[in-house]
Amino acid sequence: MAVSERGPRERMVFSAAQLIRREGVAATGMREVAAHAGAPRGSLQHYFPGGKEQLVNEAVGWAGRYAGNRVARFLAALPEPTPAALFAEMVRQWTDEYEAAGFAGGCPVAAATVDCAQSTDSTREATAAAFAAWTAPVARALTDLGVPGERAEPLATLMISALEGAILIARAERDVRALTTVAHELGPLLDAAVRERT
Amino acid sequence: MAVSERGPRERMVFSAAQLIRREGVAATGMREVAAHAGAPRGSLQHYFPGGKEQLVNEAVGWAGRYAGNRVARFLAALPEPTPAALFAEMVRQWTDEYEAAGFAGGCPVAAATVDCAQSTDSTREATAAAFAAWTAPVARALTDLGVPGERAEPLATLMISALEGAILIARAERDVRALTTVAHELGPLLDAAVRERT
DNA sequence: GGCCGACTATGACGACGGTCATAGTAGTCC
DNA sequence: GGACTACTATGACCGTCGTCATAGTCGGCC
């Protein structure tokens, strides 16, 4: 796997996110996480004395920060940065993965929300924080691109909602159709918001 | 609970959908389903010889048909039917539930997708069918409302994607904000599609 | 009555999960 | 060297889960 040589703790968080993405929270075992990370089983209780709950929460937090950080990188890489182009890039990350590696994984934050929102309140809070850590950079990017301030956050929420839903449908259908559709349909709406700054 | 007096089999399917909505597929036990439905445990293997997989698939199918059937009823109940009004009504079903009964439940199809898309192919197919059984009536409604035929299905996909994503975020945040936001932001786009039939 | 199918009712089994307890190793500082 | 801390390594416990097996009930039909 050529896991970059971070500490075993970080590797386990990363592996947890990977497995949760694929199988859901409940179906992901602690032993499985340790094995996937190439870490000893005993390290689990050493690094995560809070048990599975803590590990899952950290995996969700990691995923939220990861998604948030990518936004800036997307923006920097765009030759002609517009809101629609940013959204297309966010979507493209998923279509690329699905076409290259199959439809095995979804969004770990979505998985944690579905599996734990009702049963584990600390995880629910972690998912809310993850969505916030993702939405904020998107909204900031929108304002930077010329979207009026009061519309940036609603549009960011819309973008992430549509993306999450399309990921679900794409996995169900094993087809990127839903993803390309939302990118195509939402693009004009997003770019139109730029010109509204009267 | 005043479960309307259908047969025990149907009650178990319904109960399975309810529990999956709340806790996810993996965390929903067969015994729990039987208890919730007020049905004897032995009936499970009698009515669902295919085991949990069959029960989950039927629950997903039921949910898809249920969502599809509601579309027509929404349309009929709207005083001034437009695409935006239809979408607002679809969203309102969720905001009403969340405000009245709390954020306990999500969409059972989303839960099944997250938990089973990778592990259980028959359930993945059931979720794809459920999304199709939901998208088709929405697309049909859009054409009835004047949306050009070639845009009806993409827009229906966009509506359902945004709704599913907003449900996730709303549950995570315990706030209907995301739901009202997508309804508000997507409304103009949907209605604008009507006037495009040149 | 006797039979049979549909359904109910329980107990048991095997597997697996998360967690705990305990012991072992390695490196460091005194 | 010896104590101490960080980390590794396993085995065991106990609960729960899905499933199977077996037996029991009930109603109709010949």
Side-chain angles (χ1 to χ4, degrees):
Chain A
M1 283 288 181
V3 180
S4 67
E5 274 318 321
R6 303 184 207 101
R9 190 182 197 284
E10 197 171 347
R11 286 208 318 273
M12 282 191 277
V13 173
F14 178 79
S15 289
Q18 292 287 108
L19 294 170
I20 289 169
R21 234 161 81 71
R22 288 200 251 277
E23 313 277 356
V25 172
T28 297
M30 301 280 277
R31 293 164 167 84
E32 195 184 355
V33 171
H36 183 273
R41 223 185 75 205
S43 299
L44 281 169
Q45 74 175 295
H46 184 256
Y47 291 115
F48 306 96
K52 187 176 189 176
E53 191 174 327
Q54 181 186 357
L55 177 58
V56 170
N57 294 355
E58 295 202 19
V60 169
W62 178 87
R65 284 190 303 275
Y66 175 82
N69 289 339
R70 297 204 53 145
V71 174
R73 245 173 301 162
F74 285 158
L75 261 195
L78 283 176
E80 192 147 354
T82 70
L86 171 62
F87 187 57
E89 198 61 21
M90 289 167 63
V91 168
R92 201 166 69 85
Q93 171 181 10
W94 289 93
T95 57
D96 283 356
E97 175 190 332
Y98 285 156
E99 274 161 358
F103 295 81
C107 171
V109 185
T113 304
V114 162
D115 274 7
C116 307
Q118 170 68 1
S119 58
T120 316
D121 200 60
S122 73
T123 303
R124 201 220 81 229
E125 286 172 15
T127 60
F131 278 126
W134 190 8
T135 309
V138 173
R140 208 175 316 126
L142 290 180
T143 58
D144 289 350
L145 293 174
V147 174
E150 71 275 11
R151 295 209 59 204
E153 212 209 288
L155 285 179
T157 300
L158 175 62
M159 288 163 70
I160 293 178
S161 293
L163 176 55
E164 286 285 3
I167 290 169
L168 281 177
I169 299 178
R171 282 187 83 197
E173 295 181 344
R174 286 201 185 282
D175 191 322
V176 295
R177 179 192 65 86
L179 285 161
T180 54
T181 297
V182 296
H184 182 255
E185 296 292 331
L186 224 47
L189 173 76
L190 297 171
D191 277 352
V194 175
R195 270 155 281 167
E196 278 169 8
R197 48 157 74 209
T198 44
Chain B
M1 285 287 182
V3 181
S4 67
E5 274 316 322
R6 304 187 206 98
R9 191 183 195 284
E10 200 172 344
R11 286 209 317 274
M12 282 190 278
V13 173
F14 177 79
S15 289
Q18 292 287 108
L19 293 171
I20 289 169
R21 230 162 82 71
R22 288 201 251 279
E23 314 277 356
V25 171
T28 297
M30 301 282 278
R31 294 164 167 84
E32 195 185 355
V33 172
H36 183 273
R41 223 185 76 203
S43 297
L44 281 169
Q45 73 175 292
H46 184 254
Y47 290 115
F48 307 97
K52 187 176 190 175
E53 191 175 327
Q54 181 186 357
L55 176 60
V56 170
N57 292 355
E58 296 203 18
V60 169
W62 178 89
R65 284 191 303 274
Y66 175 83
N69 290 337
R70 298 204 55 145
V71 175
R73 246 174 299 163
F74 286 157
L75 260 195
L78 285 177
E80 192 146 355
T82 69
L86 170 63
F87 187 56
E89 196 63 19
M90 289 166 63
V91 168
R92 201 167 68 84
Q93 170 179 9
W94 288 92
T95 58
D96 283 356
E97 175 190 332
Y98 285 155
E99 273 160 0
F103 295 81
C107 172
V109 184
T113 304
V114 162
D115 273 8
C116 307
Q118 170 67 1
S119 58
T120 317
D121 200 59
S122 73
T123 303
R124 201 220 81 229
E125 286 172 14
T127 59
F131 278 126
W134 189 9
T135 308
V138 173
R140 209 176 314 125
L142 289 180
T143 57
D144 289 351
L145 293 175
V147 174
E150 71 275 10
R151 294 208 58 203
E153 212 210 288
L155 285 181
T157 299
L158 175 61
M159 289 164 68
I160 294 179
S161 293
L163 176 55
E164 286 285 2
I167 290 169
L168 281 177
I169 299 177
R171 285 187 82 197
E173 295 181 345
R174 287 204 184 279
D175 191 319
V176 296
R177 179 192 67 84
L179 285 160
T180 56
T181 296
V182 296
H184 181 255
E185 295 294 331
L186 224 46
L189 174 77
L190 297 171
D191 277 353
V194 175
R195 271 157 279 166
E196 279 170 6
R197 47 157 71 209
T198 43

